[in-house]
Coordinates of all heavy atoms in Angstrom, one line a residue:
K34 N 116.8 123.6 41.7 CA 117.6 123.6 40.5 C 119.1 123.7 40.8 O 119.9 123.0 40.1 CB 117.2 124.8 39.6 CG 115.8 124.6 39.0 CD 115.3 125.8 38.2 CE 113.9 125.6 37.7 NZ 113.4 126.8 37.1
T35 N 119.5 124.4 41.8 CA 120.9 124.6 42.2 C 121.4 123.2 42.6 O 122.6 122.9 42.4 CB 121.0 125.6 43.3 OG1 120.5 126.8 42.9 CG2 122.5 125.8 43.7
L36 N 120.6 122.4 43.2 CA 121.1 121.1 43.7 C 121.6 120.2 42.6 O 122.5 119.4 42.8 CB 119.9 120.4 44.5 CG 120.2 119.1 45.2 CD1 121.3 119.3 46.3 CD2 118.9 118.6 45.8
D37 N 121.1 120.4 41.4 CA 121.6 119.6 40.3 C 123.1 119.9 40.0 O 123.7 119.0 39.4 CB 120.8 120.0 39.0 CG 119.3 119.5 39.1 OD1 119.0 118.6 40.0 OD2 118.5 120.1 38.4
C38 N 123.6 121.0 40.5 CA 125.0 121.2 40.3 C 125.9 120.3 41.1 O 127.1 120.2 40.8 CB 125.4 122.7 40.6 SG 124.5 123.9 39.6
F39 N 125.4 119.7 42.1 CA 126.2 118.8 43.0 C 126.0 117.4 42.5 O 125.2 116.6 42.9 CB 125.7 118.9 44.4 CG 125.9 120.2 45.1 CD1 124.9 121.2 45.1 CD2 127.1 120.5 45.6 CE1 125.1 122.4 45.7 CE2 127.4 121.7 46.2 CZ 126.4 122.7 46.3
A40 N 126.9 117.1 41.5 CA 126.9 115.8 40.9 C 127.3 114.6 41.8 O 126.8 113.5 41.8 CB 127.7 115.8 39.6
E41 N 128.3 114.9 42.7 CA 128.9 113.9 43.6 C 128.3 114.0 44.9 O 127.8 115.1 45.4 CB 130.4 114.1 43.7 CG 131.1 114.0 42.3 CD 132.6 114.4 42.5 OE1 133.1 114.5 43.6 OE2 133.3 114.6 41.5
E42 N 128.4 112.9 45.7 CA 128.0 112.9 47.1 C 129.0 113.7 47.8 O 130.2 113.6 47.7 CB 127.9 111.5 47.7 CG 126.8 110.7 47.1 CD 125.4 111.2 47.5 OE1 125.2 111.6 48.6 OE2 124.5 111.1 46.6
S43 N 128.5 114.7 48.7 CA 129.4 115.5 49.5 C 128.6 116.1 50.6 O 127.4 116.0 50.7 CB 130.0 116.6 48.6 OG 129.0 117.5 48.2
D44 N 129.3 116.7 51.6 CA 128.7 117.3 52.7 C 127.8 118.5 52.2 O 126.7 118.7 52.7 CB 129.7 117.9 53.7 CG 130.5 116.8 54.4 OD1 130.0 115.6 54.4 OD2 131.6 117.0 54.8
E45 N 128.3 119.2 51.2 CA 127.5 120.3 50.6 C 126.2 119.8 50.0 O 125.2 120.5 50.1 CB 128.4 121.1 49.6 CG 129.6 121.8 50.1 CD 130.8 120.9 50.3 OE1 130.8 119.7 49.9 OE2 131.8 121.4 50.8
K46 N 126.3 118.7 49.3 CA 125.1 118.2 48.7 C 124.1 117.7 49.8 O 122.9 118.0 49.7 CB 125.4 117.0 47.8 CG 124.2 116.4 47.1 CD 124.5 115.4 46.1 CE 123.3 114.9 45.3 NZ 123.6 114.0 44.3
D47 N 124.6 117.1 50.8 CA 123.7 116.7 51.9 C 123.1 117.9 52.6 O 121.9 117.9 52.9 CB 124.6 115.9 53.0 CG 123.7 115.1 53.9 OD1 122.7 114.5 53.4 OD2 124.1 115.0 55.1
F48 N 123.8 119.0 52.8 CA 123.3 120.2 53.3 C 122.2 120.8 52.4 O 121.1 121.1 52.9 CB 124.4 121.2 53.5 CG 123.9 122.6 53.9 CD1 123.6 122.9 55.2 CD2 123.8 123.6 53.0 CE1 123.1 124.1 55.6 CE2 123.3 124.9 53.3 CZ 123.0 125.1 54.6
M49 N 122.5 120.8 51.1 CA 121.5 121.3 50.2 C 120.2 120.5 50.1 O 119.1 121.0 50.0 CB 122.1 121.4 48.8 CG 123.1 122.6 48.6 SD 122.4 124.2 48.7 CE 121.4 124.2 47.3
L50 N 120.4 119.2 50.2 CA 119.2 118.3 50.3 C 118.3 118.6 51.4 O 117.1 118.7 51.3 CB 119.6 116.8 50.3 CG 120.0 116.2 49.0 CD1 120.7 114.8 49.3 CD2 118.8 116.0 48.1
G51 N 119.0 118.8 52.6 CA 118.2 119.2 53.8 C 117.5 120.5 53.6 O 116.3 120.7 54.0
L52 N 118.2 121.5 53.0 CA 117.6 122.8 52.8 C 116.5 122.8 51.8 O 115.4 123.3 52.1 CB 118.7 123.7 52.3 CG 118.4 125.2 52.0 CD1 117.8 125.8 53.3 CD2 119.6 126.0 51.5
V53 N 116.6 122.1 50.7 CA 115.6 122.0 49.7 C 114.4 121.2 50.2 O 113.2 121.7 50.0 CB 116.2 121.3 48.4 CG1 115.0 121.0 47.4 CG2 117.2 122.3 47.7
E54 N 114.6 120.1 50.8 CA 113.5 119.3 51.4 C 112.8 120.1 52.5 O 111.5 120.0 52.5 CB 114.0 117.9 51.8 CG 114.3 117.0 50.6 CD 114.6 115.6 51.1 OE1 114.2 115.2 52.2 OE2 115.3 114.9 50.3
G55 N 113.5 120.7 53.3 CA 112.9 121.5 54.4 C 112.0 122.6 53.8 O 110.9 122.8 54.3
L56 N 112.6 123.4 52.9 CA 111.8 124.4 52.3 C 110.5 123.9 51.6 O 109.4 124.5 51.7 CB 112.6 125.2 51.3 CG 113.7 126.1 51.9 CD1 114.6 126.7 50.8 CD2 113.1 127.2 52.7
G57 N 110.7 122.8 50.9 CA 109.5 122.2 50.2 C 108.4 121.8 51.2 O 107.3 122.0 50.9
E58 N 108.8 121.1 52.2 CA 107.8 120.6 53.2 C 107.1 121.8 53.9 O 105.9 121.8 54.1 CB 108.5 119.7 54.3 CG 108.9 118.4 53.7 CD 109.6 117.5 54.8 OE1 109.5 117.8 56.0 OE2 110.2 116.5 54.3
I59 N 107.9 122.8 54.3 CA 107.3 124.0 55.0 C 106.4 124.7 54.0 O 105.3 125.2 54.4 CB 108.5 124.9 55.5 CG1 109.2 124.2 56.6 CG2 107.9 126.2 56.0 CD1 110.5 124.8 57.1
A60 N 106.8 124.9 52.7 CA 106.0 125.6 51.8 C 104.6 124.8 51.6 O 103.6 125.5 51.6 CB 106.7 125.7 50.4
K61 N 104.7 123.5 51.5 CA 103.5 122.7 51.4 C 102.6 122.9 52.6 O 101.4 123.0 52.5 CB 103.8 121.2 51.2 CG 104.3 120.9 49.8 CD 104.7 119.4 49.7 CE 105.6 119.1 48.5 NZ 106.1 117.8 48.5
L62 N 103.2 122.8 53.8 CA 102.4 123.0 55.0 C 101.7 124.3 55.0 O 100.5 124.4 55.3 CB 103.3 122.8 56.2 CG 102.7 123.2 57.6 CD1 101.6 122.2 57.9 CD2 103.8 123.2 58.6
R63 N 102.4 125.4 54.7 CA 101.9 126.7 54.7 C 100.8 126.9 53.7 O 99.8 127.6 53.9 CB 103.0 127.8 54.6 CG 103.7 127.9 55.9 CD 104.9 128.8 56.0 NE 104.5 130.2 55.6 CZ 105.4 131.1 55.6 NH1 106.7 130.9 55.9 NH2 105.1 132.3 55.2
E64 N 101.0 126.3 52.5 CA 100.0 126.4 51.5 C 98.7 125.7 51.9 O 97.6 126.1 51.7 CB 100.5 125.8 50.2 CG 101.5 126.7 49.5 CD 102.3 126.0 48.4 OE1 102.2 124.7 48.2 OE2 103.0 126.7 47.6
E65 N 98.9 124.5 52.5 CA 97.7 123.7 53.0 C 97.0 124.5 54.1 O 95.7 124.5 54.1 CB 98.2 122.4 53.5 CG 97.0 121.4 53.9 CD 96.1 121.0 52.8 OE1 96.5 121.2 51.6 OE2 95.0 120.6 53.1
L66 N 97.7 125.1 55.0 CA 97.1 125.9 56.1 C 96.3 127.1 55.5 O 95.2 127.3 56.0 CB 98.1 126.4 57.1 CG 98.7 125.3 58.0 CD1 99.9 125.9 58.8 CD2 97.7 124.7 58.9
T67 N 96.9 127.7 54.5 CA 96.2 128.8 53.9 C 94.9 128.4 53.2 O 93.8 129.0 53.4 CB 97.1 129.5 52.8 OG1 98.3 130.0 53.5 CG2 96.4 130.6 52.1
R68 N 94.9 127.2 52.6 CA 93.7 126.6 51.9 C 92.7 126.3 53.0 O 91.5 126.7 52.8 CB 94.1 125.4 51.2 CG 93.0 124.8 50.3 CD 93.3 123.5 49.7 NE 93.4 122.4 50.7 CZ 92.4 121.8 51.3 NH1 91.2 122.2 51.0 NH2 92.6 120.9 52.1
L69 N 93.1 125.7 54.1 CA 92.1 125.3 55.1 C 91.5 126.6 55.8 O 90.3 126.6 56.1 CB 92.8 124.5 56.2 CG 93.2 123.1 55.8 CD1 94.0 122.4 56.9 CD2 92.0 122.3 55.5
I70 N 92.3 127.6 56.0 CA 91.8 128.9 56.6 C 90.8 129.5 55.6 O 89.7 129.9 56.0 CB 92.9 129.8 56.9 CG1 93.8 129.3 58.1 CG2 92.4 131.2 57.1 CD1 95.1 130.0 58.3
N71 N 91.0 129.4 54.3 CA 90.1 130.0 53.3 C 88.8 129.2 53.3 O 87.7 129.8 53.1 CB 90.8 130.1 52.0 CG 91.8 131.2 51.9 OD1 91.8 132.1 52.7 ND2 92.8 131.1 51.0
V72 N 88.9 127.9 53.3 CA 87.7 127.1 53.3 C 86.9 127.4 54.6 O 85.6 127.6 54.5 CB 88.0 125.6 53.3 CG1 86.8 124.7 53.6 CG2 88.6 125.2 51.9

Side-chain angles (χ1 to χ4, degrees):
K34 289 177 185 174
T35 303
L36 186 59
D37 294 337
C38 296
F39 293 97
E41 300 174 12
E42 291 296 320
S43 65
D44 294 335
E45 294 83 5
K46 183 174 183 175
D47 197 39
F48 172 81
M49 287 294 293
L50 279 170
L52 182 56
V53 169
E54 287 186 24
L56 289 171
E58 288 178 16
I59 293 167
K61 286 178 194 171
L62 172 65
R63 287 177 55 180
E64 288 167 347
E65 184 66 17
L66 288 173
T67 300
R68 187 187 69 74
L69 290 172
I70 289 168
N71 289 336
V72 167

